[in-house]
């Protein structure tokens, strides 16, 4: 991170009281140690992490490959260790949630080493616990299919634009944080006709809400496209390489955070009829998965390009579960 703005971040009102408790417990070097850890991050990452932590309901419309998911994992580690806040990570697939949890564990190990207190006495692929001063805090990983079961504390809703049963998942998250905790929605946009984009459009910029001190009411919106990330320190990102590796529509969607239009998101039905096989090979290995088939009707629809045991390729269509 090229500029040091951690003094402002530490004084954010929502964290101040709990920070003060830790100052008393861990001595005068607490702020210095915390500043050391925060210096590892770019300003746009700290903005989402620490300013986002102010709001009960926060949503970020983000570019790919700029470290926002990792930043959210660091925020979870930070709040579990420093604030004793339990979290549940909710992803479309269990493996995705597990990857984020693994990053949380890695950030916890770094944070514990720098801060000089706490340890992780229990860790599996789906849950870890951090212990500080006899108080145990858990972080869990789960998937959309388990919506509502085992959600505790604050909730990270990962890549929400692509979730199945988007409204049902969101309702389960609301129920989990109703009497405490926060809901952080993290996603690259899909297309306009999604619950995710509906929330983006109804949200207010976090700066506006902060000026009115509306921390517990409505959605606070964060927006970080690739250009903003570069302006805020991520100089190593190669825009031209990213642009040359995808179409203009994909670049606008993945890196400029613009939703796809309905027409861009759907294959023509005649094309689908030509592509989709009438029967599935007895055994095959999956090689490529596409994500845009039928998004104006069913955001769970997918296309698979698969290679059978004889080296022949088949195109299959179906739902997220792979049913034809």
């Amino acid at each position: 991170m090229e500029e040091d703005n951690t003094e402002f971040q530490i004084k954010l009102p929502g964290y101040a009281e709990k920070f003060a408790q830790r100052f008393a417990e861990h001595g005068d070097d607490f702020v210095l140690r915390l500043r050391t850890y925060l210096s590892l991050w770019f300003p746009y990452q700290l903005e989402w992490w620490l300013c986002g932590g102010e709001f009960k309901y926060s949503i970020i419309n983000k570019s790919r490959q700029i470290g926002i998911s990792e930043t959210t994992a660091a925020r979870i580690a930070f709040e579990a260790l420093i604030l004793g806040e339990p979290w549940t990570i909710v992803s479309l697939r269990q493996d995705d949630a597990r990857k984020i949890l693994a990053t949380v564990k890695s950030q916890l190990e770094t944070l514990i080493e720098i801060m000089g207190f706490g340890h992780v006495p229990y860790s599996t692929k789906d849950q870890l616990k951090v212990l500080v001063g006899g108080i145990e805090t858990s972080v869990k990983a789960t998937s959309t299919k388990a919506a509502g079961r085992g959600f505790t504390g604050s909730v990270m809703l990962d890549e929400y634009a692509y979730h199945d049963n988007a409204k049902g998942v969101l309702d389960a998250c609301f129920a989990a944080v109703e009497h405490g905790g926060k809901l952080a929605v993290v996603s690259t946009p899909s297309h306009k006709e999604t619950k995710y984009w509906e929330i983006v459009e109804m949200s207010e910029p976090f700066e506006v809400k902060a000026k009115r001190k509306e921390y517990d009411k409505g959605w606070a919106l964060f927006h970080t496209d690739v250009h903003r990330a570069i302006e805020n320190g991520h100089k190593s990102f190669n825009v031209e390489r990213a642009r040359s590796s995808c179409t203009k529509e994909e670049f606008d969607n993945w890196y400029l955070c613009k939703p796809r239009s309905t027409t861009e998101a759907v294959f023509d039905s005649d094309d689908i009829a030509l592509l989709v096989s009438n029967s599935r090979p007895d055994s095959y290995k999956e090689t490529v998965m596409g994500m845009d088939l039928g998004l104006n009707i069913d955001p769970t629809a997918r296309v698979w390009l698969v290679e059978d045991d004889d080296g022949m390729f088949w195109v299959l269509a179906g739902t997220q579960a792979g049913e034809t």
Side-chain angles (χ1 to χ4, degrees):
M1 193 173 73
E2 295 187 352
E3 62 181 86
D4 185 356
N5 62 351
T6 54
E7 188 68 28
F8 166 75
Q9 304 291 356
I10 289 174
K11 290 182 178 178
L12 287 170
Y15 285 90
E17 183 177 349
K18 292 180 179 179
F19 277 161
Q21 295 172 3
R22 296 300 187 193
F23 296 159
E25 294 173 13
H26 299 286
D28 295 337
D29 66 343
F30 177 88
V31 176
L32 180 61
R33 290 174 179 269
L34 185 59
R35 185 191 297 275
T36 299
Y37 182 66
L38 295 180
S39 70
L40 302 174
W41 302 90
F42 294 124
Y44 72 89
Q45 293 172 322
L46 287 176
E47 178 181 85
W48 163 243
W49 171 4
L50 292 176
C51 293
E54 293 291 311
F55 298 95
K56 187 172 183 67
Y57 303 107
S58 57
I59 184 168
I60 184 166
N61 187 37
K62 70 175 185 70
S63 165
R64 291 186 176 188
Q65 300 177 7
I66 59 170
I68 292 297
S69 294
E70 183 180 10
T71 304
T72 311
R75 171 182 166 184
I76 292 171
F78 173 84
E79 294 199 1
L81 180 70
I82 307 295
L83 309 180
E85 179 71 27
W87 277 82
T88 300
I89 301 161
V90 184
S91 296
L92 181 60
R93 291 170 289 273
Q94 189 70 24
D95 284 348
D96 293 335
R98 287 170 174 171
K99 289 177 183 177
I100 296 172
L101 184 64
T103 305
V104 171
K105 182 181 179 183
S106 176
Q107 290 299 324
L108 265 173
E109 291 169 348
T110 301
L111 191 55
I112 287 169
E113 181 178 356
I114 291 175
M115 300 306 297
F117 62 85
H119 71 284
V120 180
Y122 175 83
S123 176
T124 67
K125 290 182 179 180
D126 298 314
Q127 184 179 11
L128 63 77
K129 296 180 180 179
V130 58
L131 188 64
V132 179
I135 299 175
E136 193 173 75
T137 303
S138 68
V139 181
K140 299 178 181 178
T142 188
S143 68
T144 297
K145 292 180 180 179
R149 299 198 299 270
F151 288 18
T152 55
S154 295
V155 177
M156 172 192 178
L157 193 46
D158 172 49
E159 292 296 355
Y160 180 54
Y162 301 95
H163 274 240
D164 307 334
N165 185 22
K167 184 180 183 303
V169 173
L170 189 65
D171 288 345
C173 292
F174 279 145
V177 303
E178 182 178 3
H179 301 296
K182 293 166 285 190
L183 175 56
V185 176
V186 182
S187 192
T188 301
S190 173
H191 66 102
K192 293 179 181 178
E193 290 76 20
T194 58
K195 188 66 179 177
Y196 167 77
W197 196 251
E198 178 185 321
I199 296 173
V200 169
E201 291 194 318
M202 67 183 285
S203 301
E204 287 189 283
F206 76 95
E207 302 96 331
V208 174
K209 296 186 70 64
K211 285 181 180 179
R212 296 201 303 259
K213 301 187 183 301
E214 291 182 355
Y215 297 110
D216 296 320
K217 179 182 178 182
W219 287 96
L221 174 65
F222 294 74
H223 176 89
T224 304
D225 64 20
V226 68
H227 294 307
R228 188 165 188 272
I230 293 171
E231 290 170 0
N232 279 263
H234 196 346
K235 306 299 184 185
S236 63
F237 191 96
N238 190 322
V239 174
E240 293 310 313
R241 181 182 298 171
R243 196 186 301 274
S244 65
S245 67
C246 58
T247 66
K248 182 183 183 303
E249 290 75 16
E250 289 171 335
F251 184 84
D252 288 350
N253 181 226
W254 296 345
Y255 299 107
L256 301 186
C257 310
K258 298 178 181 180
R260 293 175 181 265
S261 69
T262 300
T263 55
E264 291 169 349
V266 183
F267 288 107
D268 181 86
S269 58
D270 291 335
D271 293 335
I272 295 173
L274 290 172
L275 288 172
V276 177
S277 303
N278 292 323
S279 61
R280 179 186 300 216
D282 293 334
S283 63
Y284 61 89
K285 55 185 178 181
E286 183 174 302
T287 57
V288 178
M289 183 175 77
M291 297 183 66
D292 287 337
L293 172 65
L295 282 177
N296 67 327
I297 300 173
D298 180 4
T300 70
R302 301 290 187 267
V303 171
W304 290 265
L305 175 64
V306 298
E307 182 182 8
D308 66 17
D309 293 338
D310 296 324
M312 294 183 63
F313 285 94
W314 300 69
V315 180
L316 306 174
T319 65
Q320 173 65 25
E323 299 170 350
T324 57

